[in-house]
Amino acid sequence: MDEVIGLFATPFMRLPGALDAPLVKALVEHFSARAAVENNSSAQLSHTRMLKPSDSPLLVAVAERVTPRLADFGALLFGERLGWSLKEMWVNVLAQGGRQAMHNHANSFISGVVYLTPTHPDARTVFMKAPGGTDFSFKNDHEGSRTGPYNADKWISPQPEPGDLVLFPSYLMHAVPPNPGEQRITLAFNAIPTRLDSWGYRIGFTG
């Protein structure tokens, strides 16, 4: 019997309702006015400074809920439940018309986004294949071709609700299209494991 096997899958973990409504409301009220750092690519997008859980009791509460899920997701990436820490956190405020350019997150292993306000369907986070190098490439892309999981260049994440959390490998390219809706507020973060061990060669991380 013919069989198609998807090799070397990239994990993406979606955790609906990871933060309860009172915590989400408090995060929006406390941090939305503190997003004063302008984005390089969009005048309608601003961020807070980089934060650590110790900067606010609200972030401590976030860390308490998120950190166990990092261990779950990390086990998918590395085949072992490791200790994890939130290296940095920041709040994004995306006004109508704003967008986030394609990027990934350096110097980390797991990245995540907590959605704090409703998201317009057209402003869902989009994940992309990494751009190619300098080699020539060929595509079969026209009105008669069909896009599937093995030839797609991008994937639009499911419609989120306030309090939802998503986790993904930090190398994964992602972006937010122009936002046609109301203000969109998210809490993003990067995480690192305590250590990695490759047959006795150990490297530790602190942040």
Side-chain angles (χ1 to χ4, degrees):
M1 178 178 287
D2 294 346
E3 184 178 11
V4 175
I5 299 172
L7 295 179
F8 311 123
T10 301
F12 177 93
M13 183 177 282
R14 183 171 177 242
L15 301 134
L19 301 190
D20 57 73
L23 179 55
V24 168
K25 182 174 184 289
L27 287 165
V28 170
E29 291 176 351
H30 183 77
F31 287 107
S32 59
R34 291 169 168 78
V37 179
E38 293 184 1
N39 182 264
N40 294 331
S41 301
S42 176
Q44 290 79 37
L45 173 60
S46 59
H47 320 274
T48 62
R49 64 179 177 84
M50 291 298 169
L51 304 164
K52 292 185 178 295
S54 57
D55 289 333
S56 167
L58 294 172
L59 298 181
V60 170
V62 172
E64 289 173 348
R65 291 162 174 78
V66 167
T67 302
R69 311 321 295 263
L70 294 173
D72 296 338
F73 190 71
L76 298 177
L77 291 177
F78 296 117
E80 180 184 3
R81 290 187 66 84
L82 301 167
W84 286 84
S85 63
L86 290 167
K87 175 173 166 277
E88 58 214 355
M89 312 168 79
W90 65 98
V91 171
N92 306 294
V93 177
L94 185 67
Q96 190 174 62
R99 65 182 183 87
Q100 175 62 285
M102 183 174 68
H103 65 288
N104 60 10
H105 297 183
N107 302 323
S108 58
F109 291 88
I110 296 176
S111 295
V113 177
V114 181
Y115 296 88
L116 300 179
T117 58
T119 295
H120 191 281
D122 292 343
R124 287 175 287 167
T125 309
V126 177
F127 293 84
M128 300 101 159
K129 283 184 181 177
T134 57
D135 296 334
F136 292 107
S137 64
F138 294 89
K139 292 192 67 175
N140 188 58
D141 189 10
H142 55 86
E143 67 276 1
S145 63
R146 292 189 299 175
T147 301
Y150 302 111
N151 68 343
D153 289 325
K154 65 181 181 180
W155 178 75
I156 301 172
S157 58
Q159 179 68 34
E161 296 295 334
D164 288 0
L165 163 67
V166 297
L167 300 173
F168 50 92
S170 298
Y171 61 75
L172 197 58
M173 305 296 293
H174 56 288
V176 180
N179 176 25
E182 300 296 321
Q183 191 178 70
R184 175 189 189 273
I185 302 177
T186 58
L187 169 68
F189 57 82
N190 291 322
I192 53 176
T194 52
R195 55 90 184 153
L196 296 175
D197 183 339
S198 182
W199 295 101
Y201 177 78
R202 294 183 177 89
I203 185 168
F205 301 92
T206 60

